[in-house]
Amino acid sequence: MPERLPSEVAAALDATAARRRHIGTPAYYVSETTSTNDLASRYAERGAPEGTTIVASAQTAGRGRLGRTWYSPPGAGLYMSIVVRDRRAAPFLTLAGGVAVAEGVRAATGLPLEIKWPNDVVTPGTNGPTRRRKIAGVLAEASSTAEGLQHVILGIGINLSPSAYPPEIADRASSIEAELGRGIDGGTVLAEVLAALAAELTALARGDASGLLARWRRLAPSASGATVECETPAGRSSGIASGIDDDGALLVRIGPRIERIISGEVTWK
Ligand code: BT5
């Protein structure tokens, strides 16, 4: 059962109501759930309109892509899922989520972040000793029937405050507060991310992805020039990331060829 929105979250949502349009209206809050994507999907199946947003303070079964776990300890992060129904926006939701997180976090806190294809939001930096650390992740899950796409649940997890991460991610994860060295208001982060997402969805609903692609490219310098390893029809190969095409696929130069990577595993060197 949804609970009352914490008052600072309600205030931040009110303050951004005009910019958010229908995104985050209604917003439901639960202190703990298995996965906000599951909860949002249940709401969507019962007819919840586009923009319906579920926010939790903790998840007991938060997930990433390919069956991976999203570590979601209580009170240390924002775990949210948004119902999207627009079919034109659907193919671009992972990119739109990444841009909305990077821009919303910057607007709310001043922290600059970068995007790592396809769905990681990370601290800026180079590899090696100042390796990029993951602050947020985006998971878009589509539901279709014989009549076509019904809805997409756009799940976003953002680390707000430091936490004892499991050893396998301890040196690869960070939080907004750890990077800034001060406290921040999670309600403002939520509201600004939703406002940035609303702007992207409005343009996508008009069939215009050009602004989103330009913003994504500017926020993802590693997508052009970094050495990567990826799965190709000929097996696993090493190449040079050469940007994304207008459908959001990663282009990788492997010797004389350009491979188009749509999904799957890319290892950044
Ligand atoms: C993602 O997957 O990055 C998408 C994460 C989406 C989480 C949100 S929270 C709200 C909604 N409800 C859900 O159940 N999910 C969404 P992927 O690219 O597969 O990355 C997963 C990997 O990130 C893991 O295997 C770890 O290596 C790392 N990881 C896990 N938890 C992390 C955390 N809290 N911070 C940084 N890295 C983490």
Side-chain angles (χ1 to χ4, degrees), residues 2 7 12 17 30 45 54 65 72 82 122 137 139 144 148 152 157 171 177 199 203 209 252 254 269:
S7 56
V30 289
E45 271 153 27
I54 312 289
R65 294 176 305 141
S72 314
I82 302 116
V122 298
L139 176 69
S144 302
V152 183
D171 67 339
E177 290 189 347
V252 178
I254 300 170
K269 298 285 159 188

mmCIF file with all atom_site columns, all heavy atoms in Angstrom, residues 2 7 12 17 30 45 54 65 72 82 122 137 139 144 148 152 157 171 177 199 203 209 252 254 269:
data_model
loop_
_atom_site.group_PDB
_atom_site.id
_atom_site.type_symbol
_atom_site.label_atom_id
_atom_site.label_alt_id
_atom_site.label_comp_id
_atom_site.label_asym_id
_atom_site.label_entity_id
_atom_site.label_seq_id
_atom_site.pdbx_PDB_ins_code
_atom_site.Cartn_x
_atom_site.Cartn_y
_atom_site.Cartn_z
_atom_site.occupancy
_atom_site.B_iso_or_equiv
_atom_site.pdbx_formal_charge
_atom_site.auth_seq_id
_atom_site.auth_comp_id
_atom_site.auth_asym_id
_atom_site.auth_atom_id
_atom_site.pdbx_PDB_model_num
ATOM 1   N N   . PRO A 1 2   ? 0.600  2.177  -0.910  1.00 0.00 ? 2   PRO A N   1
ATOM 2   C CA  . PRO A 1 2   ? 1.391  3.408  -0.886  1.00 0.00 ? 2   PRO A CA  1
ATOM 3   C C   . PRO A 1 2   ? 1.204  4.157  0.428   1.00 0.00 ? 2   PRO A C   1
ATOM 4   O O   . PRO A 1 2   ? 0.149  4.089  1.050   1.00 0.00 ? 2   PRO A O   1
ATOM 5   C CB  . PRO A 1 2   ? 0.841  4.219  -2.049  1.00 0.00 ? 2   PRO A CB  1
ATOM 6   C CG  . PRO A 1 2   ? -0.171 3.397  -2.733  1.00 0.00 ? 2   PRO A CG  1
ATOM 7   C CD  . PRO A 1 2   ? -0.402 2.153  -1.969  1.00 0.00 ? 2   PRO A CD  1
ATOM 8   N N   . SER A 1 7   ? 7.330  14.815 3.415   1.00 0.00 ? 7   SER A N   1
ATOM 9   C CA  . SER A 1 7   ? 6.931  16.202 3.138   1.00 0.00 ? 7   SER A CA  1
ATOM 10  C C   . SER A 1 7   ? 7.928  16.930 2.252   1.00 0.00 ? 7   SER A C   1
ATOM 11  O O   . SER A 1 7   ? 7.551  17.737 1.404   1.00 0.00 ? 7   SER A O   1
ATOM 12  C CB  . SER A 1 7   ? 6.693  16.967 4.440   1.00 0.00 ? 7   SER A CB  1
ATOM 13  O OG  . SER A 1 7   ? 7.863  16.878 5.216   1.00 0.00 ? 7   SER A OG  1
ATOM 14  N N   . ALA A 1 12  ? 9.089  19.392 -3.026  1.00 0.00 ? 12  ALA A N   1
ATOM 15  C CA  . ALA A 1 12  ? 9.928  19.498 -4.232  1.00 0.00 ? 12  ALA A CA  1
ATOM 16  C C   . ALA A 1 12  ? 9.100  19.180 -5.481  1.00 0.00 ? 12  ALA A C   1
ATOM 17  O O   . ALA A 1 12  ? 9.263  19.824 -6.526  1.00 0.00 ? 12  ALA A O   1
ATOM 18  C CB  . ALA A 1 12  ? 11.125 18.559 -4.117  1.00 0.00 ? 12  ALA A CB  1
ATOM 19  N N   . ALA A 1 17  ? 6.005  21.378 -10.492 1.00 0.00 ? 17  ALA A N   1
ATOM 20  C CA  . ALA A 1 17  ? 4.810  20.814 -11.159 1.00 0.00 ? 17  ALA A CA  1
ATOM 21  C C   . ALA A 1 17  ? 4.691  21.277 -12.614 1.00 0.00 ? 17  ALA A C   1
ATOM 22  O O   . ALA A 1 17  ? 4.414  20.469 -13.501 1.00 0.00 ? 17  ALA A O   1
ATOM 23  C CB  . ALA A 1 17  ? 3.556  21.178 -10.369 1.00 0.00 ? 17  ALA A CB  1
ATOM 24  N N   . VAL A 1 30  ? 6.568  4.311  -1.276  1.00 0.00 ? 30  VAL A N   1
ATOM 25  C CA  . VAL A 1 30  ? 6.578  3.189  -0.319  1.00 0.00 ? 30  VAL A CA  1
ATOM 26  C C   . VAL A 1 30  ? 7.955  3.179  0.343   1.00 0.00 ? 30  VAL A C   1
ATOM 27  O O   . VAL A 1 30  ? 8.956  3.464  -0.309  1.00 0.00 ? 30  VAL A O   1
ATOM 28  C CB  . VAL A 1 30  ? 6.329  1.808  -0.990  1.00 0.00 ? 30  VAL A CB  1
ATOM 29  C CG1 . VAL A 1 30  ? 4.902  1.663  -1.461  1.00 0.00 ? 30  VAL A CG1 1
ATOM 30  C CG2 . VAL A 1 30  ? 7.282  1.554  -2.145  1.00 0.00 ? 30  VAL A CG2 1
ATOM 31  N N   . GLU A 1 45  ? -0.584 -2.157 -15.473 1.00 0.00 ? 45  GLU A N   1
ATOM 32  C CA  . GLU A 1 45  ? -1.527 -3.175 -15.938 1.00 0.00 ? 45  GLU A CA  1
ATOM 33  C C   . GLU A 1 45  ? -2.950 -2.838 -15.524 1.00 0.00 ? 45  GLU A C   1
ATOM 34  O O   . GLU A 1 45  ? -3.907 -3.229 -16.180 1.00 0.00 ? 45  GLU A O   1
ATOM 35  C CB  . GLU A 1 45  ? -1.123 -4.554 -15.415 1.00 0.00 ? 45  GLU A CB  1
ATOM 36  C CG  . GLU A 1 45  ? -0.162 -5.232 -16.374 1.00 0.00 ? 45  GLU A CG  1
ATOM 37  C CD  . GLU A 1 45  ? 0.762  -6.216 -15.701 1.00 0.00 ? 45  GLU A CD  1
ATOM 38  O OE1 . GLU A 1 45  ? 0.385  -6.775 -14.646 1.00 0.00 ? 45  GLU A OE1 1
ATOM 39  O OE2 . GLU A 1 45  ? 1.887  -6.397 -16.220 1.00 0.00 ? 45  GLU A OE2 1
ATOM 40  N N   . ILE A 1 54  ? 6.474  5.597  -9.078  1.00 0.00 ? 54  ILE A N   1
ATOM 41  C CA  . ILE A 1 54  ? 6.590  4.923  -7.779  1.00 0.00 ? 54  ILE A CA  1
ATOM 42  C C   . ILE A 1 54  ? 7.978  5.231  -7.231  1.00 0.00 ? 54  ILE A C   1
ATOM 43  O O   . ILE A 1 54  ? 8.975  5.060  -7.942  1.00 0.00 ? 54  ILE A O   1
ATOM 44  C CB  . ILE A 1 54  ? 6.481  3.383  -7.933  1.00 0.00 ? 54  ILE A CB  1
ATOM 45  C CG1 . ILE A 1 54  ? 5.302  2.978  -8.805  1.00 0.00 ? 54  ILE A CG1 1
ATOM 46  C CG2 . ILE A 1 54  ? 6.467  2.705  -6.568  1.00 0.00 ? 54  ILE A CG2 1
ATOM 47  C CD1 . ILE A 1 54  ? 3.961  3.178  -8.207  1.00 0.00 ? 54  ILE A CD1 1
ATOM 48  N N   . ARG A 1 65  ? 20.176 -4.854 -15.471 1.00 0.00 ? 65  ARG A N   1
ATOM 49  C CA  . ARG A 1 65  ? 19.944 -5.584 -16.710 1.00 0.00 ? 65  ARG A CA  1
ATOM 50  C C   . ARG A 1 65  ? 20.456 -7.015 -16.559 1.00 0.00 ? 65  ARG A C   1
ATOM 51  O O   . ARG A 1 65  ? 21.276 -7.302 -15.696 1.00 0.00 ? 65  ARG A O   1
ATOM 52  C CB  . ARG A 1 65  ? 20.686 -4.901 -17.861 1.00 0.00 ? 65  ARG A CB  1
ATOM 53  C CG  . ARG A 1 65  ? 20.148 -3.512 -18.175 1.00 0.00 ? 65  ARG A CG  1
ATOM 54  C CD  . ARG A 1 65  ? 20.991 -2.858 -19.240 1.00 0.00 ? 65  ARG A CD  1
ATOM 55  N NE  . ARG A 1 65  ? 22.372 -2.827 -18.847 1.00 0.00 ? 65  ARG A NE  1
ATOM 56  C CZ  . ARG A 1 65  ? 23.395 -3.038 -19.680 1.00 0.00 ? 65  ARG A CZ  1
ATOM 57  N NH1 . ARG A 1 65  ? 23.186 -3.304 -20.937 1.00 0.00 ? 65  ARG A NH1 1
ATOM 58  N NH2 . ARG A 1 65  ? 24.636 -2.968 -19.238 1.00 0.00 ? 65  ARG A NH2 1
ATOM 59  N N   . SER A 1 72  ? 20.231 -1.719 -3.164  1.00 0.00 ? 72  SER A N   1
ATOM 60  C CA  . SER A 1 72  ? 19.247 -0.669 -2.838  1.00 0.00 ? 72  SER A CA  1
ATOM 61  C C   . SER A 1 72  ? 19.029 -0.536 -1.337  1.00 0.00 ? 72  SER A C   1
ATOM 62  O O   . SER A 1 72  ? 17.943 -0.791 -0.825  1.00 0.00 ? 72  SER A O   1
ATOM 63  C CB  . SER A 1 72  ? 17.904 -1.004 -3.492  1.00 0.00 ? 72  SER A CB  1
ATOM 64  O OG  . SER A 1 72  ? 18.041 -1.391 -4.838  1.00 0.00 ? 72  SER A OG  1
ATOM 65  N N   . ILE A 1 82  ? 8.872  4.887  -13.539 1.00 0.00 ? 82  ILE A N   1
ATOM 66  C CA  . ILE A 1 82  ? 7.899  5.764  -14.185 1.00 0.00 ? 82  ILE A CA  1
ATOM 67  C C   . ILE A 1 82  ? 7.201  4.978  -15.292 1.00 0.00 ? 82  ILE A C   1
ATOM 68  O O   . ILE A 1 82  ? 7.856  4.291  -16.088 1.00 0.00 ? 82  ILE A O   1
ATOM 69  C CB  . ILE A 1 82  ? 8.617  6.993  -14.795 1.00 0.00 ? 82  ILE A CB  1
ATOM 70  C CG1 . ILE A 1 82  ? 9.371  7.747  -13.695 1.00 0.00 ? 82  ILE A CG1 1
ATOM 71  C CG2 . ILE A 1 82  ? 7.641  7.936  -15.497 1.00 0.00 ? 82  ILE A CG2 1
ATOM 72  C CD1 . ILE A 1 82  ? 10.839 7.780  -13.853 1.00 0.00 ? 82  ILE A CD1 1
ATOM 73  N N   . VAL A 1 122 ? 27.817 8.045  -14.383 1.00 0.00 ? 122 VAL A N   1
ATOM 74  C CA  . VAL A 1 122 ? 29.073 7.873  -13.647 1.00 0.00 ? 122 VAL A CA  1
ATOM 75  C C   . VAL A 1 122 ? 29.738 9.220  -13.368 1.00 0.00 ? 122 VAL A C   1
ATOM 76  O O   . VAL A 1 122 ? 29.418 10.230 -14.000 1.00 0.00 ? 122 VAL A O   1
ATOM 77  C CB  . VAL A 1 122 ? 30.061 6.986  -14.464 1.00 0.00 ? 122 VAL A CB  1
ATOM 78  C CG1 . VAL A 1 122 ? 29.493 5.590  -14.675 1.00 0.00 ? 122 VAL A CG1 1
ATOM 79  C CG2 . VAL A 1 122 ? 30.380 7.619  -15.821 1.00 0.00 ? 122 VAL A CG2 1
ATOM 80  N N   . GLY A 1 137 ? 21.877 4.070  -12.307 1.00 0.00 ? 137 GLY A N   1
ATOM 81  C CA  . GLY A 1 137 ? 21.634 3.154  -13.416 1.00 0.00 ? 137 GLY A CA  1
ATOM 82  C C   . GLY A 1 137 ? 20.185 3.264  -13.865 1.00 0.00 ? 137 GLY A C   1
ATOM 83  O O   . GLY A 1 137 ? 19.307 3.676  -13.092 1.00 0.00 ? 137 GLY A O   1
ATOM 84  N N   . LEU A 1 139 ? 16.992 1.270  -16.055 1.00 0.00 ? 139 LEU A N   1
ATOM 85  C CA  . LEU A 1 139 ? 16.499 -0.019 -16.547 1.00 0.00 ? 139 LEU A CA  1
ATOM 86  C C   . LEU A 1 139 ? 15.117 0.168  -17.155 1.00 0.00 ? 139 LEU A C   1
ATOM 87  O O   . LEU A 1 139 ? 14.146 0.392  -16.437 1.00 0.00 ? 139 LEU A O   1
ATOM 88  C CB  . LEU A 1 139 ? 16.409 -1.018 -15.374 1.00 0.00 ? 139 LEU A CB  1
ATOM 89  C CG  . LEU A 1 139 ? 15.817 -2.385 -15.696 1.00 0.00 ? 139 LEU A CG  1
ATOM 90  C CD1 . LEU A 1 139 ? 16.757 -3.187 -16.590 1.00 0.00 ? 139 LEU A CD1 1
ATOM 91  C CD2 . LEU A 1 139 ? 15.530 -3.170 -14.419 1.00 0.00 ? 139 LEU A CD2 1
ATOM 92  N N   . SER A 1 144 ? 4.573  -5.982 -23.822 1.00 0.00 ? 144 SER A N   1
ATOM 93  C CA  . SER A 1 144 ? 3.815  -5.980 -25.078 1.00 0.00 ? 144 SER A CA  1
ATOM 94  C C   . SER A 1 144 ? 2.795  -7.099 -25.085 1.00 0.00 ? 144 SER A C   1
ATOM 95  O O   . SER A 1 144 ? 2.972  -8.114 -24.411 1.00 0.00 ? 144 SER A O   1
ATOM 96  C CB  . SER A 1 144 ? 4.751  -6.209 -26.267 1.00 0.00 ? 144 SER A CB  1
ATOM 97  O OG  . SER A 1 144 ? 5.731  -5.220 -26.288 1.00 0.00 ? 144 SER A OG  1
ATOM 98  N N   . GLY A 1 148 ? 0.502  -5.069 -29.508 1.00 0.00 ? 148 GLY A N   1
ATOM 99  C CA  . GLY A 1 148 ? 1.698  -4.206 -29.557 1.00 0.00 ? 148 GLY A CA  1
ATOM 100 C C   . GLY A 1 148 ? 2.126  -3.759 -28.171 1.00 0.00 ? 148 GLY A C   1
ATOM 101 O O   . GLY A 1 148 ? 1.693  -4.320 -27.160 1.00 0.00 ? 148 GLY A O   1
ATOM 102 N N   . VAL A 1 152 ? 6.070  0.927  -21.083 1.00 0.00 ? 152 VAL A N   1
ATOM 103 C CA  . VAL A 1 152 ? 7.450  0.677  -20.675 1.00 0.00 ? 152 VAL A CA  1
ATOM 104 C C   . VAL A 1 152 ? 7.575  1.216  -19.257 1.00 0.00 ? 152 VAL A C   1
ATOM 105 O O   . VAL A 1 152 ? 7.058  2.293  -18.942 1.00 0.00 ? 152 VAL A O   1
ATOM 106 C CB  . VAL A 1 152 ? 8.471  1.401  -21.587 1.00 0.00 ? 152 VAL A CB  1
ATOM 107 C CG1 . VAL A 1 152 ? 9.896  1.058  -21.163 1.00 0.00 ? 152 VAL A CG1 1
ATOM 108 C CG2 . VAL A 1 152 ? 8.259  1.043  -23.045 1.00 0.00 ? 152 VAL A CG2 1
ATOM 109 N N   . GLY A 1 157 ? 17.743 4.113  -10.534 1.00 0.00 ? 157 GLY A N   1
ATOM 110 C CA  . GLY A 1 157 ? 18.307 4.033  -9.181  1.00 0.00 ? 157 GLY A CA  1
ATOM 111 C C   . GLY A 1 157 ? 19.437 5.041  -9.073  1.00 0.00 ? 157 GLY A C   1
ATOM 112 O O   . GLY A 1 157 ? 20.307 5.089  -9.948  1.00 0.00 ? 157 GLY A O   1
ATOM 113 N N   . ASP A 1 171 ? 34.705 -0.508 -5.185  1.00 0.00 ? 171 ASP A N   1
ATOM 114 C CA  . ASP A 1 171 ? 35.610 0.448  -5.833  1.00 0.00 ? 171 ASP A CA  1
ATOM 115 C C   . ASP A 1 171 ? 35.041 0.975  -7.150  1.00 0.00 ? 171 ASP A C   1
ATOM 116 O O   . ASP A 1 171 ? 35.717 1.672  -7.889  1.00 0.00 ? 171 ASP A O   1
ATOM 117 C CB  . ASP A 1 171 ? 36.990 -0.190 -6.065  1.00 0.00 ? 171 ASP A CB  1
ATOM 118 C CG  . ASP A 1 171 ? 36.901 -1.314 -7.078  1.00 0.00 ? 171 ASP A CG  1
ATOM 119 O OD1 . ASP A 1 171 ? 35.792 -1.856 -7.281  1.00 0.00 ? 171 ASP A OD1 1
ATOM 120 O OD2 . ASP A 1 171 ? 37.930 -1.662 -7.686  1.00 0.00 ? 171 ASP A OD2 1
ATOM 121 N N   . GLU A 1 177 ? 26.427 12.470 -2.463  1.00 0.00 ? 177 GLU A N   1
ATOM 122 C CA  . GLU A 1 177 ? 26.972 13.138 -1.261  1.00 0.00 ? 177 GLU A CA  1
ATOM 123 C C   . GLU A 1 177 ? 28.457 12.833 -1.087  1.00 0.00 ? 177 GLU A C   1
ATOM 124 O O   . GLU A 1 177 ? 29.232 13.708 -0.697  1.00 0.00 ? 177 GLU A O   1
ATOM 125 C CB  . GLU A 1 177 ? 26.183 12.721 -0.017  1.00 0.00 ? 177 GLU A CB  1
ATOM 126 C CG  . GLU A 1 177 ? 24.774 13.298 -0.031  1.00 0.00 ? 177 GLU A CG  1
ATOM 127 C CD  . GLU A 1 177 ? 24.011 13.100 1.274   1.00 0.00 ? 177 GLU A CD  1
ATOM 128 O OE1 . GLU A 1 177 ? 24.472 12.298 2.128   1.00 0.00 ? 177 GLU A OE1 1
ATOM 129 O OE2 . GLU A 1 177 ? 22.948 13.732 1.433   1.00 0.00 ? 177 GLU A OE2 1
ATOM 130 N N   . ALA A 1 199 ? 10.877 16.947 -20.116 1.00 0.00 ? 199 ALA A N   1
ATOM 131 C CA  . ALA A 1 199 ? 11.303 17.720 -21.291 1.00 0.00 ? 199 ALA A CA  1
ATOM 132 C C   . ALA A 1 199 ? 11.688 16.772 -22.429 1.00 0.00 ? 199 ALA A C   1
ATOM 133 O O   . ALA A 1 199 ? 11.323 16.985 -23.594 1.00 0.00 ? 199 ALA A O   1
ATOM 134 C CB  . ALA A 1 199 ? 12.479 18.624 -20.917 1.00 0.00 ? 199 ALA A CB  1
ATOM 135 N N   . ALA A 1 203 ? 9.566  16.175 -26.268 1.00 0.00 ? 203 ALA A N   1
ATOM 136 C CA  . ALA A 1 203 ? 10.162 16.244 -27.607 1.00 0.00 ? 203 ALA A CA  1
ATOM 137 C C   . ALA A 1 203 ? 9.991  14.901 -28.327 1.00 0.00 ? 203 ALA A C   1
ATOM 138 O O   . ALA A 1 203 ? 9.649  14.870 -29.520 1.00 0.00 ? 203 ALA A O   1
ATOM 139 C CB  . ALA A 1 203 ? 11.642 16.612 -27.499 1.00 0.00 ? 203 ALA A CB  1
ATOM 140 N N   . ALA A 1 209 ? 13.872 13.302 -31.851 1.00 0.00 ? 209 ALA A N   1
ATOM 141 C CA  . ALA A 1 209 ? 14.899 12.732 -30.967 1.00 0.00 ? 209 ALA A CA  1
ATOM 142 C C   . ALA A 1 209 ? 16.225 13.468 -31.102 1.00 0.00 ? 209 ALA A C   1
ATOM 143 O O   . ALA A 1 209 ? 17.199 13.122 -30.435 1.00 0.00 ? 209 ALA A O   1
ATOM 144 C CB  . ALA A 1 209 ? 15.086 11.245 -31.300 1.00 0.00 ? 209 ALA A CB  1
ATOM 145 N N   . VAL A 1 252 ? 31.210 0.632  -33.016 1.00 0.00 ? 252 VAL A N   1
ATOM 146 C CA  . VAL A 1 252 ? 32.557 0.257  -32.565 1.00 0.00 ? 252 VAL A CA  1
ATOM 147 C C   . VAL A 1 252 ? 33.406 -0.068 -33.791 1.00 0.00 ? 252 VAL A C   1
ATOM 148 O O   . VAL A 1 252 ? 33.019 -0.903 -34.626 1.00 0.00 ? 252 VAL A O   1
ATOM 149 C CB  . VAL A 1 252 ? 32.503 -0.962 -31.609 1.00 0.00 ? 252 VAL A CB  1
ATOM 150 C CG1 . VAL A 1 252 ? 33.909 -1.363 -31.183 1.00 0.00 ? 252 VAL A CG1 1
ATOM 151 C CG2 . VAL A 1 252 ? 31.656 -0.640 -30.377 1.00 0.00 ? 252 VAL A CG2 1
ATOM 152 N N   . ILE A 1 254 ? 36.265 -1.900 -35.405 1.00 0.00 ? 254 ILE A N   1
ATOM 153 C CA  . ILE A 1 254 ? 37.115 -3.063 -35.165 1.00 0.00 ? 254 ILE A CA  1
ATOM 154 C C   . ILE A 1 254 ? 37.906 -3.274 -36.443 1.00 0.00 ? 254 ILE A C   1
ATOM 155 O O   . ILE A 1 254 ? 37.356 -3.731 -37.450 1.00 0.00 ? 254 ILE A O   1
ATOM 156 C CB  . ILE A 1 254 ? 36.283 -4.309 -34.810 1.00 0.00 ? 254 ILE A CB  1
ATOM 157 C CG1 . ILE A 1 254 ? 35.459 -4.021 -33.541 1.00 0.00 ? 254 ILE A CG1 1
ATOM 158 C CG2 . ILE A 1 254 ? 37.168 -5.533 -34.605 1.00 0.00 ? 254 ILE A CG2 1
ATOM 159 C CD1 . ILE A 1 254 ? 34.428 -5.052 -33.201 1.00 0.00 ? 254 ILE A CD1 1
ATOM 160 N N   . LYS A 1 269 ? 37.740 -0.256 -21.473 1.00 0.00 ? 269 LYS A N   1
ATOM 161 C CA  . LYS A 1 269 ? 39.126 -0.465 -21.031 1.00 0.00 ? 269 LYS A CA  1
ATOM 162 C C   . LYS A 1 269 ? 39.669 0.825  -20.442 1.00 0.00 ? 269 LYS A C   1
ATOM 163 O O   . LYS A 1 269 ? 39.313 1.906  -20.862 1.00 0.00 ? 269 LYS A O   1
ATOM 164 C CB  . LYS A 1 269 ? 39.980 -0.910 -22.209 1.00 0.00 ? 269 LYS A CB  1
ATOM 165 C CG  . LYS A 1 269 ? 39.519 -2.228 -22.782 1.00 0.00 ? 269 LYS A CG  1
ATOM 166 C CD  . LYS A 1 269 ? 39.942 -3.340 -21.875 1.00 0.00 ? 269 LYS A CD  1
ATOM 167 C CE  . LYS A 1 269 ? 39.135 -4.601 -22.075 1.00 0.00 ? 269 LYS A CE  1
ATOM 168 N NZ  . LYS A 1 269 ? 39.376 -5.623 -21.122 1.00 0.00 ? 269 LYS A NZ  1
#
